[in-house]
Amino acid sequence: MSLYNEWQELCEKERTEEEYNKFWNTYLEKEMKIYEFILDNHEEVVEGKLAELAEKFDMEPVVFTGFMDGINTSLKESVKLEELSEESNICLKVDFEKLYYNMLDAKAYWLYNLPQWDNILSQERRNEITKEYNRAHIAVSNKIGRNEPCICGSGKKYKKCCGA
């Protein structure tokens, strides 16, 4: 079984609420430390064998694969998660603007508010990315208003024609 499949099984495992919270809190704490490291060392590319990186960041290889699942869409070259093994060479060339956007999308406020972002993206640029994100997530309705002209072309108001 691939590490990625093991990660998915680990996530879906039946747990009590207490066990569930403990699992995810532990994971998110370790994830935050990795992101702090990546942001602190943003000019360096984090690379090495998956097992070595997992050990470096105090994670099991399966759990580090979960981290890879989360950061994968923010990498300049994505990784084929299903093919990952402990011997896989990992190269984390991060697109930091995309990473910030994806953190907004994941509603990971504990990550996109890290102070390390100050050294990478200006507050002005982060505000622009936030506006782009908000614009892309505005709810749009195609519903016809009651007082709009009817779509059948009769010239009547919708409420007096097809909407009656």
Side-chain angles (χ1 to χ4, degrees):
M1 179 183 298
S2 74
L3 288 173
Y4 182 65
N5 289 338
E6 286 183 49
W7 167 249
Q8 289 180 318
E9 275 189 16
L10 187 61
C11 292
E12 295 168 1
K13 182 179 174 184
E14 290 281 328
R15 297 181 171 89
T16 65
E17 186 176 347
E18 184 179 320
E19 291 170 332
Y20 176 88
N21 290 334
K22 182 180 179 187
F23 173 80
W24 285 109
N25 288 337
T26 302
Y27 171 78
L28 293 173
E29 191 175 303
K30 289 181 180 189
E31 177 192 53
M32 187 168 70
K33 287 181 181 173
I34 297 174
Y35 279 118
E36 287 174 340
F37 178 85
I38 290 172
L39 296 174
D40 277 335
N41 302 287
H42 65 277
E43 293 178 2
E44 297 174 29
V45 175
V46 177
E47 55 187 328
K49 293 201 182 297
L50 186 138
E52 294 167 355
L53 292 175
E55 186 177 330
K56 176 179 180 172
F57 295 114
D58 189 31
M59 290 180 148
E60 294 296 318
V62 171
V63 178
F64 189 78
T65 302
F67 171 78
M68 291 298 302
D69 185 20
I71 198 171
N72 201 28
T73 57
S74 302
L75 299 177
K76 292 179 181 175
E77 292 179 33
S78 63
V79 174
K80 292 182 179 167
L81 297 169
E82 296 81 15
E83 297 175 8
L84 287 177
S85 72
E86 291 188 25
E87 295 301 310
S88 297
N89 287 313
I90 303 295
C91 182
L92 300 178
K93 290 182 184 173
V94 179
D95 178 338
F96 288 99
E97 290 190 2
K98 198 170 184 182
L99 177 63
Y100 190 81
Y101 185 94
N102 289 340
M103 287 177 173
L104 289 170
D105 194 35
K107 297 178 183 21
Y109 59 87
W110 62 94
L111 297 176
Y112 63 76
N113 285 322
L114 287 170
Q116 288 86 345
W117 281 108
D118 294 339
N119 300 324
I120 300 168
L121 300 173
S122 67
Q123 185 63 51
E124 182 179 282
R125 182 63 188 133
R126 285 181 279 168
N127 290 344
E128 289 172 13
I129 294 170
T130 302
K131 282 182 184 176
E132 289 170 24
Y133 170 78
N134 289 337
R135 259 189 246 117
H137 291 83
I138 293 174
V140 178
S141 174
N142 293 330
K143 185 177 176 185
I144 301 166
R146 289 176 35 81
N147 291 315
E148 299 291 321
C150 190
I151 56 171
C152 74
S154 67
K156 296 180 183 179
K157 289 184 178 183
Y158 181 72
K159 68 181 177 185
K160 296 283 188 179
C161 190
C162 295

